[in-house]
Amino acid sequence: KQEVTQIPAALSVPEGENLVLNCSFTDSAIYNLQWFRQDPGKGLTSLLLIQSSQREQTSGRLNASLDKSSGRSTLYIAASQPGDSATYLCAVSGNQFYFGTGTSLTVIP
Amino acid sequence: GAVVSQHPSWVICKSGTSVKIECRSLDFQATTMFWYRQFPKQSLMLMATSNEGSKATYEQGVEKDKFLINHASLTLSTLTVTSAHPEDSSFYICSARDGGSTDYGYTFGSGTRLTVV
């Protein structure tokens, strides 16, 4: 069974810092990997989708990479802002969707 | 892009009553929809896979008689929590994939916060 782990579980950084969130998965047979943002008590917002054949995707200040062979993905956030504070989830898509444990990010003004 | 609408966004019900949550794909057809549950400070856990025109597939440990799933059309799946108890209080989210899409991306509803008192 696919297992998805995210490190760190929580992260607190001052505004303006660049940061990296990590995601690892045990089964490399995936269709794609998605990064989501979840605000407290809210649903999910899709940030980036990386196909299994791709290495990275970029959207604004966000850059996500995928190394399928090693079962790893990173989400890089540049010049963090207080509005980036949220929980970030990665999820891999195979026969079904498997979510990571999440990283709770706090950006301090 | 693909949009999934989920209602209600929050509901409070008395213990022993039933609650229905709807999940609609607005601009695409979804033969398969997924229902997730999220307890506080935990990640989302798949409860069941809803298949249009057939019975849902439940994950281990999820009571199919308690969480009734109906997927009567290509754009609507419903989850009914029957005889709700306080321990059923949770955040429920549905998702669907646009079968016409080539990126295999999933779209999620906005979630339903259920509180059973």
Side-chain angles (χ1 to χ4, degrees):
Chain A
K1 181 182 176 181
Q2 179 76 270
E3 292 185 8
V4 184
T5 305
Q6 289 184 244
I7 296 173
L11 182 63
S12 182
V13 300
E15 181 177 3
E17 270 202 9
N18 303 324
L19 56 99
V20 175
L21 307 181
N22 299 290
C23 173
S24 62
F25 49 97
T26 55
D27 186 350
S28 62
I30 63 172
Y31 292 131
N32 59 49
L33 183 145
Q34 274 183 272
W35 282 93
F36 294 89
R37 168 185 174 139
Q38 184 177 31
D39 292 284
K42 304 287 187 179
L44 302 179
T45 301
S46 180
L47 298 173
L48 289 165
L49 168 67
I50 311 176
Q51 299 294 340
S52 62
S53 59
Q54 297 175 325
R55 299 283 293 181
E56 67 176 343
Q57 282 288 329
T58 298
S59 175
R61 295 183 292 109
L62 305 179
N63 176 276
S65 67
L66 173 64
D67 184 342
K68 201 173 72 165
S69 61
S70 66
R72 295 181 180 180
S73 175
T74 61
L75 177 66
Y76 175 82
I77 302 177
S80 59
Q81 303 171 357
D84 295 332
S85 299
T87 295
Y88 290 80
L89 296 167
C90 72
V92 295
S93 172
N95 290 326
Q96 59 175 261
F97 221 46
Y98 296 91
F99 280 92
T101 47
T103 293
S104 177
L105 173 65
T106 302
V107 180
I108 304 168
Chain B
V3 177
V4 172
S5 175
Q6 185 173 342
H7 293 280
S9 57
W10 61 269
V11 58
I12 301 174
C13 71
K14 291 185 177 180
S15 185
T17 62
S18 295
V19 174
K20 179 184 287 187
I21 303 171
E22 291 190 350
C23 181
R24 294 180 184 272
S25 57
L26 296 187
D27 49 3
F28 65 97
Q29 293 184 333
T31 55
T32 304
M33 291 186 177
F34 304 88
W35 289 95
Y36 296 84
R37 179 168 54 183
Q38 185 181 34
F39 291 108
K41 299 188 184 299
Q42 297 185 24
S43 191
L44 287 89
M45 296 299 294
L46 179 65
M47 297 176 64
T49 302
S50 169
N51 304 296
E52 187 270 334
S54 65
K55 292 182 179 181
T57 304
Y58 291 82
E59 295 299 300
Q60 190 172 9
V62 178
E63 301 174 57
K64 62 180 181 180
D65 295 329
K66 181 172 186 60
F67 298 99
L68 301 180
I69 292 174
N70 184 284
H71 194 155
S73 76
L74 288 171
T75 59
L76 174 64
S77 176
T78 61
L79 168 67
T80 301
V81 182
T82 63
S83 186
H85 291 284
E87 57 264 32
D88 297 324
S89 298
S90 186
F91 193 59
Y92 294 85
I93 303 181
C94 67
S95 77
R97 187 176 70 84
D98 181 355
S101 166
T102 57
D103 66 8
Y104 293 95
Y106 288 79
T107 302
F108 285 78
S110 54
T112 298
R113 172 75 59 190
L114 170 64
T115 301
V116 184
V117 297

